[in-house]
Amino acid sequence: MRANTTHKKLKVGLVQINNSFSGQNYFPYSVGLLQAYAQKMSLNPEKYDFFIPVYSRIPVVQAVDSLKEADIVGFSTYVWNIRLSLAIAQELKRLKPDCLIVFGGPQVPDRAEAFLRANPFIDVCCHGEGEHVFLDILQAESRQWKDVGSISYLDAQGRFIHNPKISRIQDLNLIPSPYLEKVFEPLIQEHPEEQWLVMWETNRGCPFSCTFCDWGSATAAKVYRFDMERLYQEVDWMADHHIEFIFCCDANFGILPRDLELTEYVVEKKKTAGYPHAL
């Protein structure tokens, strides 16, 4: 008799609540990167079932309803979404205690013990780049975190554990583009009423350590780059999808000589295709 080799899929929810402008919303780029990386780099990508992400400021009950079947939910947080993200996570944990709640993003403190104790519904905090770390969390057997770098958590005895940070990803082209990999196509189909805005990343890092900003120290100064061909293809994708506004989220767009070439490409694309309207 043949053994049953089918395995239950891990249902993954993602939350990145962005600000809206003039009725327009941003694609949830950060969590799109997590999904694209997991689907490309996992040994068993078919094991994961990614839900449509929560991307805008909807009522807590509505967000929880869309996530209640998830086994794990990852939140990308910053100052504009932390309180709503916490409210969603708390209610989701109350409704489904075995759902694994993971928080990452700039709003998660590097020293996270007080944050975790104040928000006991959070299971794991991620520090720094999330792509590799989130995949390690997905792949961790029986929720054992000792070998997962760049995370903090409270263990079964309530002790605070902070695992050492892993190195930054130097070859950014290992990270697939959520735009080019069609990660957002289900979201576009689910919300045909949206006129989407785009966040665009051409490099990561900052060589400066300005006193008013912690970006340079947070990224260890070195600037790593995405390939030009990938960036050109992303601009083409944006034009094809009639994206009016691109927000470049580099630390210092314009610092590299090639940034002029990228700008000229965007200008030429606007002339020939009509989009984007602004970068």
Side-chain angles (χ1 to χ4, degrees):
M1 186 173 177
R2 226 170 129 184
N4 184 1
T5 57
T6 59
H7 297 282
K8 180 189 171 197
K9 282 200 171 191
L10 190 70
K11 298 176 180 177
V12 185
L14 295 168
V15 181
Q16 183 189 349
I17 299 164
N18 296 315
N19 287 328
S20 302
F21 296 93
S22 303
Q24 297 176 299
N25 286 290
Y26 282 100
F27 284 112
Y29 175 69
S30 296
V31 297
L33 288 167
L34 301 185
Q35 180 176 338
Y37 189 85
Q39 290 176 328
K40 178 180 180 182
M41 304 300 286
S42 170
L43 298 175
N44 304 105
E46 70 284 350
K47 180 180 175 181
Y48 307 112
D49 181 15
F50 284 90
F51 291 6
I52 299 287
V54 176
Y55 66 93
S56 63
R57 303 186 73 83
I58 57 178
V60 170
V61 65
Q62 185 180 343
V64 170
D65 187 63
S66 72
L67 297 165
K68 64 186 179 184
E69 301 300 324
D71 301 305
I72 175 172
V73 178
F75 291 79
S76 177
T77 61
Y78 213 168
V79 63
W80 53 76
N81 68 20
I82 185 64
R83 293 185 65 176
L84 182 53
S85 297
L86 289 170
I88 294 169
Q90 184 173 25
E91 179 59 18
L92 182 60
K93 195 70 166 182
R94 185 193 68 79
L95 189 69
K96 190 177 181 182
D98 62 343
C99 179
L100 186 74
I101 304 293
V102 180
F103 265 57
Q107 205 64 23
V108 172
D110 288 338
R111 298 175 179 87
E113 182 173 6
F115 180 71
L116 282 164
R117 296 198 186 281
N119 302 287
F121 46 87
I122 298 175
D123 296 296
V124 180
C125 284
C126 298
H127 306 285
E129 286 178 321
E131 292 88 1
H132 187 86
V133 180
F134 191 68
L135 177 56
D136 282 350
I137 291 172
L138 291 178
Q139 295 182 145
E141 294 293 333
S142 304
R143 299 187 176 183
Q144 297 298 309
W145 315 122
K146 64 183 179 64
D147 296 323
V148 179
S150 298
I151 65 168
S152 299
Y153 59 98
L154 301 177
D155 70 9
Q157 289 72 45
R159 295 171 298 195
F160 174 68
I161 308 296
H162 180 81
N163 291 352
K165 268 194 174 183
I166 61 174
S167 300
R168 290 172 57 207
I169 300 171
Q170 296 186 22
D171 183 0
L172 295 185
N173 299 295
L174 293 174
I175 306 170
S177 166
Y179 303 117
L180 303 180
E181 295 297 323
K182 301 185 178 180
V183 165
F184 296 130
E185 297 307 315
L187 181 62
I188 293 170
Q189 294 166 15
E190 182 90 359
H191 294 280
E193 77 284 358
E194 290 284 7
Q195 175 62 56
W196 295 100
L197 306 171
V198 157
M199 284 180 274
W200 192 39
E201 196 179 24
T202 76
N203 64 59
R204 286 186 183 178
C206 178
F208 306 120
S209 354
C210 304
T211 54
F212 60 82
C213 175
D214 68 356
W215 199 325
S217 59
T219 57
K222 184 73 175 177
V223 177
Y224 300 122
R225 315 174 188 189
F226 290 98
D227 276 352
M228 291 289 277
E229 186 56 36
R230 168 207 179 106
L231 298 173
Y232 290 150
Q233 289 179 22
E234 286 183 330
V235 173
D236 293 344
W237 184 94
M238 295 167 199
D240 291 342
H241 286 75
H242 293 183
I243 302 300
E244 294 182 358
F245 179 75
I246 302 172
F247 181 85
C248 182
C249 44
D250 296 351
N252 293 284
F253 186 76
I255 195 173
L256 301 173
R258 72 173 197 164
D259 293 344
L260 178 58
E261 297 175 49
L262 286 170
T263 305
E264 290 172 339
Y265 189 83
V266 175
V267 170
E268 190 59 32
K269 182 58 64 172
K270 179 181 179 181
K271 289 178 180 177
T272 57
Y275 294 90
H277 294 174
L279 164 61

